[in-house]
Amino acid sequence: MYKIFFRLVFKRMDPERAHYAAFRWIRLAARIPVLRTFVAAVLAPRHKELRTEALGLRMHGPFGLAAGFDKNAIAIDGMAMLGFDHVEIGTVTGEPQPGNPKKRLFRLVADRALINRMGFNNEGSAAVAARLAARNPVFRTTVGVNIGKTKVVPEDEAAADYVKSTERLAAHADYLVVNVSSPNTPGLRNLQATESLRPLLTAVREAADRTVTTRRVPLLVKIAPDLADEDVDAVADLAVELGLDGVIATNTTVAREGLGLKSHPDLVGEAGGLSGAPLKDRSLEVLSRLYARVGDRITLVGVGGVENAEDAWQRILAGATLVQGYSAFIYEGPAYARAIHQGLAARLAASPYATLAEAVGAETRKQAAA
């Protein structure tokens, strides 16, 4: 039904306009008690065997919504209603900003992909913190907060900007993510270099610890798929050295060559980060490399090209304790998370692993031993 609706309605709409229309419907449904209960019963059934412990948190399952969909923390209950086990909001910047000029979001339907150059459009950390503080949750879900650099802040002042967001948001976050991998903020990806990343992550960790003294707020870093393998290794080593809680692999890619893209060249040539199915192989490759390097010392989150339960299962076998999706949600619709959960439960039951935790990294370990 959704796929017919997508072809007849959403496909004909401007992608950003369609996004906000869907957003409004999800938020509206989550506000109506009888309707949200019905929707959650249909789309968010619980599978006990998928219960997950990660980052010191207990979750209904391993599958969550990646950052970028709910930038301002306005639809957390709506996304939990649709079955996402955790919702990562943001990217939130220190100061509010409108993002890049429109048109800035493009669908590559033939490739089941998106290109975006949104530019961290959001209401800013103060407004988002106030909304999170006032939130009265309807559904229990884990909330991650993804923070990035305000565009007008110079690169050499980035740490102070991230610290500002951390001080405002850490108390409201189940976990924090430092985003240094979006291609749509000039100079941001330069912060992935370990000489820049070390002081930045240290400053954010210290800010989180002095802001929230009653618990440890888990801290993760999100990296790009375009890093060279040796740079992936360097980030992995740095994460362990600094005692980070996790790494999210991966963000969008600026690559276009070698991905077998079928969409019109003019569309493929749009500037911005490419996400969705074409990112699948490289994202999995980076994830596996990270796990081979860090093992179980930190939590890995697999994202990028996760279209179905098999993709999610492959991320778990490669080393991901948590898996996220976004672009496929646009194409699959509201039953996306339910299908992932059902498929994961079936695969776990058919596997030699007694628990989901036992399956994490099994394929990477097997390859290392071969």
Side-chain angles (χ1 to χ4, degrees):
M1 181 67 73
Y2 174 80
K3 291 183 179 179
I4 294 174
F5 182 80
F6 179 86
R7 287 199 304 271
L8 295 179
V9 180
F10 276 166
K11 189 176 176 181
R12 300 171 187 270
M13 293 176 66
D14 171 78
E16 190 168 352
R17 184 176 164 222
H19 173 88
Y20 287 117
F23 220 58
R24 285 193 295 272
W25 296 337
I26 292 168
R27 292 170 63 198
L28 177 62
R31 289 191 185 122
I32 304 173
V34 174
L35 180 57
R36 73 187 177 217
T37 300
F38 173 76
V39 172
V42 173
L43 298 180
R46 302 304 181 193
H47 298 264
K48 291 182 179 179
E49 65 272 36
L50 298 183
R51 288 177 181 169
T52 299
E53 290 194 17
L55 306 171
L57 306 166
R58 292 183 178 181
M59 307 182 199
H60 292 300
F63 187 63
L65 181 70
F69 192 87
D70 187 359
K71 295 177 182 294
N72 294 304
I74 60 176
I76 295 170
D77 281 321
M79 304 318 296
M81 175 188 71
L82 296 183
F84 290 98
D85 301 313
H86 65 275
V87 177
E88 190 172 309
I89 63 115
T91 295
V92 183
T93 54
E95 300 300 328
Q97 56 185 30
N100 292 322
K102 299 177 181 180
K103 188 174 180 180
R104 54 192 182 182
L105 180 63
F106 307 87
R107 293 191 208 97
L108 281 65
V109 178
D111 298 295
R112 293 178 61 82
L114 300 172
I115 291 175
N116 92 82
R117 51 173 180 263
M118 302 298 288
F120 289 168
N121 55 308
N122 74 106
E123 295 174 7
S125 56
V128 174
R131 183 171 293 118
L132 289 171
R135 181 172 171 257
N136 184 21
V138 174
F139 297 102
R140 185 178 72 83
T141 193
T142 296
V143 178
V145 177
N146 184 300
I147 58 175
K149 185 180 81 67
T150 305
K151 184 176 182 179
V152 298
V153 170
E155 196 175 318
D156 59 0
E157 297 176 18
D161 192 52
Y162 280 91
V163 165
K164 179 192 297 181
S165 294
T166 301
E167 290 174 341
R168 290 171 173 170
L169 292 162
H172 312 296
D174 290 316
Y175 68 86
L176 275 174
V177 181
V178 170
N179 185 350
V180 288
S181 49
S182 169
N184 300 316
T185 296
L188 186 72
R189 286 192 168 191
N190 295 339
L191 299 176
Q192 291 179 114
T194 53
E195 61 270 21
S196 299
L197 193 56
R198 179 181 281 104
L200 171 59
L201 293 173
T202 299
V204 171
R205 177 73 270 166
E206 291 173 351
D209 289 343
R210 68 172 175 267
T211 302
V212 183
T213 59
T214 56
R215 63 184 173 96
R216 174 184 168 86
V217 180
L219 179 63
L220 299 84
V221 63
K222 187 169 186 176
I223 64 172
D226 307 314
L227 287 177
D229 286 348
E230 56 268 25
D231 293 325
V232 173
D233 293 344
V235 171
D237 293 344
L238 180 63
V240 172
E241 174 195 331
L242 296 180
L244 288 194
D245 298 276
V247 178
I248 300 181
T250 61
N251 211 320
T252 59
T253 181
V254 295
R256 299 292 188 269
E257 298 298 323
L259 298 178
L261 298 176
K262 304 171 187 174
S263 298
H264 192 279
D266 289 347
L267 191 56
V268 170
E270 290 287 353
L274 174 73
S275 62
L279 188 54
K280 188 178 305 186
D281 291 345
R282 178 55 182 167
S283 176
L284 182 60
E285 186 179 287
V286 171
L287 174 66
S288 183
R289 189 173 188 93
L290 283 169
Y291 186 80
R293 195 82 173 184
V294 304
D296 297 320
R297 289 177 290 178
I298 62 176
T299 298
L300 299 180
V301 183
V303 58
V306 178
E307 296 191 276
N308 50 45
E310 179 60 23
D311 293 333
W313 181 241
Q314 291 303 317
R315 295 304 190 283
I316 290 167
L317 293 177
T321 300
L322 300 176
V323 182
Q324 295 179 339
Y326 174 0
S327 298
F329 177 51
I330 307 303
Y331 293 106
E332 294 298 317
Y336 175 48
R338 183 185 67 179
I340 297 281
H341 287 119
Q342 289 176 338
L344 281 178
R347 282 162 176 76
L348 179 61
S351 78
Y353 312 113
T355 65
L356 207 57
E358 194 177 309
V360 172
E363 184 62 29
T364 300
R365 291 194 299 270
K366 185 186 301 182
Q367 292 174 359

